[in-house]
């Protein structure tokens, strides 16, 4: 997806509820409960008639099989289970930054910090495959430190790892005004 400076960055708001509630139910703590129930059936096996052992095996085995196939294997292809909505835009201009139609003049800004390590589809390291391995690209932050001591932090969506390079002219202008430091501008614009 091509971005233009006129389009700006999409501001996101993350919901406390997961995108897929059923999938969120299949977490490790619930697997632990299923495992404890299966242990209970294992220790009480001699007291349960033989035909009931078959049904207890299905009762425990089906959720376990579902967890191993749908959840664990599916996580290699699945995106984060996070619900979010786009609530506005950030526009970079020569003498101000516009966030949701509110202009922040550059002369009022002391420093700009940009954390843009996340992008859509990037791989997330997941211990044991318990969480989805693909990112939604919403864990990026634009933090503006004002001269009066206030701080404004905005979460934004990044479509790909080169997304901010489309705002090269504006970000370089901020760098020349000493609002963005050299290591950050090199990392953002992928220059050496």
């Amino acid at each position: 997806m091509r971005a233009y400076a006129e389009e700006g960055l999409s501001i996101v708001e993350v919901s406390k509820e997961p995108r897929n509630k059923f999938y969120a139910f299949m977490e490790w703590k619930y697997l632990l409960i299923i495992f404890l129930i299966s242990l209970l059936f294992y220790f009480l096996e001699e007291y349960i008639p033989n035909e009931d052992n078959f049904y207890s095996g299905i009762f425990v085995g089906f959720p376990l099989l579902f967890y191993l196939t749908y959840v664990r294997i599916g996580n290699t292809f699945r995106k984060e289970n996070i619900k979010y909505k786009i609530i506005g835009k950030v526009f970079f201009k020569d003498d101000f930054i516009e966030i949701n139609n509110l202009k922040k003049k550059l002369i009022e800004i002391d420093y700009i910090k940009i954390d843009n390590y996340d992008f859509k589809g990037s791989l997330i390291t997941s211990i044991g495959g318990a969480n989805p391995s693909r990112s939604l690209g919403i864990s990026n932050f634009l933090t503006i430190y004002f001269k009066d001591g206030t701080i404004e932090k905005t979460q934004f969506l990044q479509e790909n790892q080169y997304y901010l390079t489309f705002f090269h002219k504006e970000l370089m202008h901020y760098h020349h005004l000493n609002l963005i430091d050299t290591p950050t501008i090199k990392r953002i614009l992928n220059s050496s």
Side-chain angles (χ1 to χ4, degrees):
M1 177 178 183
R2 176 72 166 100
Y4 298 95
E6 303 84 45
E7 293 177 7
L9 294 174
S10 296
I11 301 172
V12 296
E13 180 181 65
V14 177
S15 173
K16 292 180 182 177
E17 291 184 11
R19 186 174 56 190
N20 184 341
K21 290 180 185 178
F22 178 71
Y23 173 73
F25 175 75
M26 295 303 294
E27 293 178 357
W28 66 270
K29 56 187 168 188
Y30 300 109
L31 180 64
L32 181 63
I33 292 170
I34 292 170
F35 178 70
L36 291 175
I37 291 171
S38 66
L39 276 179
L40 180 68
F41 276 112
Y42 177 75
F43 289 121
L44 298 176
E45 186 175 2
E46 60 187 58
Y47 303 109
I48 301 173
N50 284 341
E51 52 274 350
D52 289 342
N53 287 344
F54 174 75
Y55 297 113
S56 65
I58 289 176
F59 172 72
V60 173
F62 181 72
L64 195 58
L65 182 65
F66 176 79
Y67 178 81
L68 290 174
T69 56
Y70 177 73
V71 178
R72 295 292 293 260
I73 294 173
N75 279 341
T76 57
F77 308 104
R78 192 174 287 118
K79 291 187 178 179
E80 292 174 291
N81 192 22
I82 299 173
K83 188 184 211 179
Y84 72 93
K85 63 180 176 179
I86 296 174
I87 58 169
K89 293 281 191 176
V90 174
F91 297 100
F92 301 113
K93 304 293 182 179
D94 284 340
D95 43 347
F96 62 90
I97 297 175
E98 185 177 326
I99 301 174
N100 278 345
N101 299 324
L102 297 173
K103 294 180 181 179
K104 317 293 182 183
K105 294 180 182 177
L106 296 184
I107 56 172
E108 299 171 351
I109 297 173
D110 187 38
Y111 180 72
I112 300 171
K113 181 180 177 189
I114 301 175
D115 297 312
N116 67 318
Y117 299 101
D118 190 23
F119 58 92
K120 268 188 178 179
S122 64
L123 290 175
I124 303 170
T125 54
S126 173
I127 299 172
N131 294 316
S133 63
R134 302 283 176 189
S135 176
L136 292 171
I138 59 173
S139 296
N140 303 296
F141 297 93
L142 169 70
T143 309
I144 301 175
Y145 297 86
F146 292 94
K147 291 181 180 175
D148 65 358
T150 59
I151 300 170
E152 185 172 335
K153 192 170 189 176
T154 306
Q155 188 171 359
F156 66 91
L157 169 72
Q158 188 169 248
E159 295 287 336
N160 57 52
Q161 67 189 89
Y162 305 108
Y163 198 72
L164 287 178
T165 60
F166 301 126
F167 309 102
H168 180 274
K169 179 183 160 237
E170 294 82 4
L171 295 175
M172 282 304 294
H173 175 66
Y174 300 162
H175 173 64
H176 293 306
L177 294 174
N178 292 325
L179 296 176
I180 300 176
D181 62 9
T182 303
T184 302
I185 202 72
K186 283 184 177 181
R187 177 180 48 80
I188 290 172
L189 301 179
N190 297 313
S191 55
S192 51

